[in-house]
Structure formats: C-alpha cells, structure tokens
Amino acid sequence: MEYDVLVVGGSGIDSIVRVDELTVPEGDYLSVPPIRDYVAHTGNGVALGFHALGAKTQFIDYIGEDVLGRQILDRYKDVGLPCDHLPAPAGTPRSVNLVDKAGRRFSFYDGRHPADLLMPLTFCGPHFDRARHVHLSYSHFNRELFDAARAGGRTVSTDLHAWDGSNPASHPWAYGADHVFFSAAVLKDRVADGLRTIISEGRAEVAVATDGDNGCFVLERHGDGVVRHFPAVVPERPVVDSNGAGDAFLTAFLHTRLNGGDLAASVLAGSVSGAFACGHHGTHEALITAEELRRASLRAGVAPGDR
C-alpha cells in the first residue's frame, strides 16, 4: 500500500466575508474588511490535514479547468500534496461564507457539479488499490463508490455535514462508511437518535456528531450502547473563524484512531485540532502538525471523556 489515506472529492474556493453579525443590515450597502479567496471545502481540508499530520496522502477530485482550479492545484503543488484529477464539466465549485465577530459562519455553497456526474471506477479504482484508508467526501459523484472503496478490507470514512437524520439521498454515506461524522447543527436535541440510526442501519464502527463549543457526541457499535458526550477543548487562541474546524476535528480524530488510539485519545486529538483551526482566519490555512497536536493535547490535560 502506498497511501495511508486516499481522499476522494470535495475541493473548491471559499470567498470569506467578515461581518459583525450573521444578519442582513438595513439599506443596500455595507463596508467590510478585505474579502479573500481560500482553497477550501471539506475534501481539501481532510487531505491537507492528513498531509500536515505526516500521513501519506493522495487526493483525487473533479477540478475545473479555470482560474479557481489552477489556484487549487497551485496550493497542492506548494505543499507537496499529491493530486490526481478529472476536469470538472461545469467548472470549480465555490462558496461565499459570512463570518461574524465570534467566528461563527454561514455558507452559501455553489456545488455546480451536474447531478448525474459520477466518479468513474476506471479512474479511482487503481487509487483504491493503493490505499489503507479511503475518505469519501459528501460529494454526490461518490455515491456509488462505497463497495469498491471497502474491497480488500479497506476502511472508509465520510462527513455528512449538517445531516437531518433521514434524507434518503444521504444514505450511501450514512450507512456505507465505517467512520461517520456529522454536525449537530440541524438535529440539535435529536442528535442521539441520529447516531443510533447510523449504527443500527449502517455499518459504522463509530459515529460522531460535532457540536461546536458544546463538544461532541459519540456512539460506538461495540460499546455499551450509550451515547457519550465529550466537552470541547478550550482554544488556546481567540476564536476568529470556525471555517474548517469540523474537517480539522475529523482528520485528527481519524489519524489517532487509525494509528491505534482509543476513543478518548481520538476525541481529544480531534477537539484540539478543531480548536486550533478556529484560531486562524481563512479555511484550511493553518493546519496542525503531529508535533503541535502532541504538545497541545498534553497541555489540554486528561482526555475529554474522562472529565
């Protein structure tokens, strides 16, 4: 095997607009700080995150033959992240993200990939054969890849983002991966039901719901059946931007778990990495390294689940 992790899909550009509040003000004009474009989106964050942690990482995706696509490929070249891609027929996806003074964000996402687009197995299959673990981003062109990704005993992960707990379109991801992550933003007080649905209806060994500064909720298939709550790690820097925090959590959690860490150690790593991401402007601009993760985890003290 040549890759520790293969990440499939999920790159684009974020245009980040910093505002005082996530509301539309009076009038039709508002001066804001400089609006900046960042190489971003979930698969990008996971791939760059694993790469920064020292894992042998390969990224594959549909990327547009346009200015935005060149910006993405230039970033990967600069950091040394291997990337293989197919031309995106409708161009490179992008988002416009509003970020308020507390670092909270709201994203307007332009996915733009055609609804009938699928990642061909002739392209991604050889990459699967070289990977120990596959992360299938929540991109619709991945929906038929789970069986092939798991072949040969490979483990698979995914991120459902703000999952509603029932959308049939999400079932290939929710029920087809071994490690499933999602945000509690939509389910809120029904998050435990969502975790139990993923475990009972799918194949996941562990399901994780991240909940911002409220920490996260975790359910394991072979545990005691109890949904465990882990409080968040207090960020070492002021929170300025939550873009990419979920991707940072997922990456460090999986990096620890795939290398033999137990649940408490994996949650601590994810929490530290997510907090680290919130202390920097931009999406996936500051990526925690393995040594930074080790030191920050030691400073955070005991594992969150033991508090």
PDB file of all heavy atoms in Angstrom, residues 6 11 20 108 129 136 172 186 190 211 213 257 288 294 305:
ATOM      1  N   LEU A   6      -6.480   7.924   1.198  1.00  0.00           N
ATOM      2  CA  LEU A   6      -6.928   8.452  -0.085  1.00  0.00           C
ATOM      3  C   LEU A   6      -8.197   9.261   0.173  1.00  0.00           C
ATOM      4  O   LEU A   6      -9.154   8.746   0.751  1.00  0.00           O
ATOM      5  CB  LEU A   6      -7.227   7.320  -1.062  1.00  0.00           C
ATOM      6  CG  LEU A   6      -7.923   7.719  -2.372  1.00  0.00           C
ATOM      7  CD1 LEU A   6      -7.008   8.566  -3.240  1.00  0.00           C
ATOM      8  CD2 LEU A   6      -8.404   6.475  -3.125  1.00  0.00           C
ATOM      9  N   SER A  11     -13.113  19.598  -3.264  1.00  0.00           N
ATOM     10  CA  SER A  11     -12.275  20.801  -3.271  1.00  0.00           C
ATOM     11  C   SER A  11     -13.038  21.948  -3.917  1.00  0.00           C
ATOM     12  O   SER A  11     -13.974  21.745  -4.694  1.00  0.00           O
ATOM     13  CB  SER A  11     -10.965  20.556  -4.024  1.00  0.00           C
ATOM     14  OG  SER A  11     -11.215  20.284  -5.397  1.00  0.00           O
ATOM     15  N   ASP A  20     -20.106  41.856  11.169  1.00  0.00           N
ATOM     16  CA  ASP A  20     -20.348  41.947  12.612  1.00  0.00           C
ATOM     17  C   ASP A  20     -21.318  40.875  13.077  1.00  0.00           C
ATOM     18  O   ASP A  20     -21.122  40.244  14.113  1.00  0.00           O
ATOM     19  CB  ASP A  20     -20.881  43.333  12.983  1.00  0.00           C
ATOM     20  CG  ASP A  20     -19.825  44.422  12.857  1.00  0.00           C
ATOM     21  OD1 ASP A  20     -18.628  44.071  12.868  1.00  0.00           O
ATOM     22  OD2 ASP A  20     -20.196  45.600  12.732  1.00  0.00           O
ATOM     23  N   PHE A 108     -22.860  30.020   1.722  1.00  0.00           N
ATOM     24  CA  PHE A 108     -23.682  29.908   0.512  1.00  0.00           C
ATOM     25  C   PHE A 108     -22.873  29.068  -0.467  1.00  0.00           C
ATOM     26  O   PHE A 108     -21.878  29.545  -1.033  1.00  0.00           O
ATOM     27  CB  PHE A 108     -23.982  31.290  -0.073  1.00  0.00           C
ATOM     28  CG  PHE A 108     -24.760  32.191   0.852  1.00  0.00           C
ATOM     29  CD1 PHE A 108     -24.101  33.027   1.740  1.00  0.00           C
ATOM     30  CD2 PHE A 108     -26.140  32.190   0.830  1.00  0.00           C
ATOM     31  CE1 PHE A 108     -24.808  33.860   2.589  1.00  0.00           C
ATOM     32  CE2 PHE A 108     -26.863  33.021   1.679  1.00  0.00           C
ATOM     33  CZ  PHE A 108     -26.192  33.863   2.565  1.00  0.00           C
ATOM     34  N   ASP A 129      -6.793   0.669  -4.778  1.00  0.00           N
ATOM     35  CA  ASP A 129      -5.913  -0.486  -4.603  1.00  0.00           C
ATOM     36  C   ASP A 129      -4.626  -0.144  -3.855  1.00  0.00           C
ATOM     37  O   ASP A 129      -3.976  -1.037  -3.311  1.00  0.00           O
ATOM     38  CB  ASP A 129      -5.552  -1.081  -5.966  1.00  0.00           C
ATOM     39  CG  ASP A 129      -6.752  -1.704  -6.663  1.00  0.00           C
ATOM     40  OD1 ASP A 129      -7.742  -2.011  -5.976  1.00  0.00           O
ATOM     41  OD2 ASP A 129      -6.697  -1.864  -7.898  1.00  0.00           O
ATOM     42  N   LEU A 136     -14.395   9.194   1.615  1.00  0.00           N
ATOM     43  CA  LEU A 136     -15.292   9.600   0.540  1.00  0.00           C
ATOM     44  C   LEU A 136     -16.065  10.834   0.986  1.00  0.00           C
ATOM     45  O   LEU A 136     -16.939  10.749   1.860  1.00  0.00           O
ATOM     46  CB  LEU A 136     -16.259   8.468   0.179  1.00  0.00           C
ATOM     47  CG  LEU A 136     -15.642   7.221  -0.466  1.00  0.00           C
ATOM     48  CD1 LEU A 136     -16.711   6.162  -0.709  1.00  0.00           C
ATOM     49  CD2 LEU A 136     -14.945   7.574  -1.776  1.00  0.00           C
ATOM     50  N   PRO A 172     -26.231   6.484   1.132  1.00  0.00           N
ATOM     51  CA  PRO A 172     -24.983   5.805   0.774  1.00  0.00           C
ATOM     52  C   PRO A 172     -23.828   6.177   1.696  1.00  0.00           C
ATOM     53  O   PRO A 172     -22.987   5.330   2.020  1.00  0.00           O
ATOM     54  CB  PRO A 172     -24.731   6.278  -0.663  1.00  0.00           C
ATOM     55  CG  PRO A 172     -26.104   6.576  -1.193  1.00  0.00           C
ATOM     56  CD  PRO A 172     -26.843   7.159  -0.030  1.00  0.00           C
ATOM     57  N   VAL A 186     -28.299  20.721  12.729  1.00  0.00           N
ATOM     58  CA  VAL A 186     -29.703  20.545  12.337  1.00  0.00           C
ATOM     59  C   VAL A 186     -30.446  19.654  13.323  1.00  0.00           C
ATOM     60  O   VAL A 186     -31.556  19.975  13.749  1.00  0.00           O
ATOM     61  CB  VAL A 186     -29.791  19.954  10.911  1.00  0.00           C
ATOM     62  CG1 VAL A 186     -31.232  19.607  10.565  1.00  0.00           C
ATOM     63  CG2 VAL A 186     -29.246  20.967   9.900  1.00  0.00           C
ATOM     64  N   ARG A 190     -31.991  16.003  18.893  1.00  0.00           N
ATOM     65  CA  ARG A 190     -32.243  14.663  18.358  1.00  0.00           C
ATOM     66  C   ARG A 190     -30.952  13.979  17.915  1.00  0.00           C
ATOM     67  O   ARG A 190     -30.981  12.977  17.218  1.00  0.00           O
ATOM     68  CB  ARG A 190     -33.219  14.748  17.178  1.00  0.00           C
ATOM     69  CG  ARG A 190     -34.609  15.256  17.553  1.00  0.00           C
ATOM     70  CD  ARG A 190     -35.548  15.213  16.365  1.00  0.00           C
ATOM     71  NE  ARG A 190     -35.152  16.156  15.326  1.00  0.00           N
ATOM     72  CZ  ARG A 190     -34.774  15.826  14.108  1.00  0.00           C
ATOM     73  NH1 ARG A 190     -34.746  14.539  13.746  1.00  0.00           N
ATOM     74  NH2 ARG A 190     -34.439  16.734  13.218  1.00  0.00           N
ATOM     75  N   ASP A 211     -20.438  19.427  17.798  1.00  0.00           N
ATOM     76  CA  ASP A 211     -21.420  20.428  18.219  1.00  0.00           C
ATOM     77  C   ASP A 211     -20.741  21.724  18.661  1.00  0.00           C
ATOM     78  O   ASP A 211     -21.107  22.321  19.680  1.00  0.00           O
ATOM     79  CB  ASP A 211     -22.275  19.848  19.356  1.00  0.00           C
ATOM     80  CG  ASP A 211     -23.556  20.641  19.578  1.00  0.00           C
ATOM     81  OD1 ASP A 211     -23.959  21.397  18.682  1.00  0.00           O
ATOM     82  OD2 ASP A 211     -24.158  20.501  20.667  1.00  0.00           O
ATOM     83  N   ASP A 213     -18.785  24.613  20.263  1.00  0.00           N
ATOM     84  CA  ASP A 213     -18.207  24.787  21.596  1.00  0.00           C
ATOM     85  C   ASP A 213     -18.901  23.939  22.657  1.00  0.00           C
ATOM     86  O   ASP A 213     -18.522  23.974  23.835  1.00  0.00           O
ATOM     87  CB  ASP A 213     -18.198  26.262  22.002  1.00  0.00           C
ATOM     88  CG  ASP A 213     -19.583  26.895  22.003  1.00  0.00           C
ATOM     89  OD1 ASP A 213     -20.584  26.167  21.853  1.00  0.00           O
ATOM     90  OD2 ASP A 213     -19.665  28.127  22.149  1.00  0.00           O
ATOM     91  N   ARG A 257      -7.135   7.422  15.692  1.00  0.00           N
ATOM     92  CA  ARG A 257      -7.825   6.129  15.769  1.00  0.00           C
ATOM     93  C   ARG A 257      -7.204   5.106  14.820  1.00  0.00           C
ATOM     94  O   ARG A 257      -7.016   3.938  15.184  1.00  0.00           O
ATOM     95  CB  ARG A 257      -9.301   6.303  15.466  1.00  0.00           C
ATOM     96  CG  ARG A 257     -10.156   5.052  15.741  1.00  0.00           C
ATOM     97  CD  ARG A 257     -11.626   5.377  15.630  1.00  0.00           C
ATOM     98  NE  ARG A 257     -12.464   4.220  15.882  1.00  0.00           N
ATOM     99  CZ  ARG A 257     -12.981   3.886  17.067  1.00  0.00           C
ATOM    100  NH1 ARG A 257     -12.706   4.631  18.130  1.00  0.00           N
ATOM    101  NH2 ARG A 257     -13.748   2.821  17.207  1.00  0.00           N
ATOM    102  N   ILE A 288      -2.675  21.869  11.711  1.00  0.00           N
ATOM    103  CA  ILE A 288      -1.884  21.398  12.835  1.00  0.00           C
ATOM    104  C   ILE A 288      -0.986  20.234  12.420  1.00  0.00           C
ATOM    105  O   ILE A 288      -1.397  19.358  11.651  1.00  0.00           O
ATOM    106  CB  ILE A 288      -2.815  20.996  14.008  1.00  0.00           C
ATOM    107  CG1 ILE A 288      -2.038  20.929  15.321  1.00  0.00           C
ATOM    108  CG2 ILE A 288      -3.549  19.691  13.716  1.00  0.00           C
ATOM    109  CD1 ILE A 288      -2.944  20.878  16.548  1.00  0.00           C
ATOM    110  N   ARG A 294       0.526  16.835  19.408  1.00  0.00           N
ATOM    111  CA  ARG A 294       1.004  16.150  20.613  1.00  0.00           C
ATOM    112  C   ARG A 294       1.158  17.125  21.771  1.00  0.00           C
ATOM    113  O   ARG A 294       0.700  16.868  22.892  1.00  0.00           O
ATOM    114  CB  ARG A 294       2.340  15.460  20.319  1.00  0.00           C
ATOM    115  CG  ARG A 294       2.878  14.610  21.472  1.00  0.00           C
ATOM    116  CD  ARG A 294       4.278  14.110  21.195  1.00  0.00           C
ATOM    117  NE  ARG A 294       5.246  15.199  21.214  1.00  0.00           N
ATOM    118  CZ  ARG A 294       5.791  15.676  22.336  1.00  0.00           C
ATOM    119  NH1 ARG A 294       5.445  15.180  23.506  1.00  0.00           N
ATOM    120  NH2 ARG A 294       6.674  16.656  22.270  1.00  0.00           N
ATOM    121  N   GLY A 305     -13.240  12.768  27.547  1.00  0.00           N
ATOM    122  CA  GLY A 305     -14.253  11.818  28.008  1.00  0.00           C
ATOM    123  C   GLY A 305     -14.069  11.397  29.447  1.00  0.00           C
ATOM    124  O   GLY A 305     -14.961  10.790  30.033  1.00  0.00           O
TER     125      GLY A 305
END
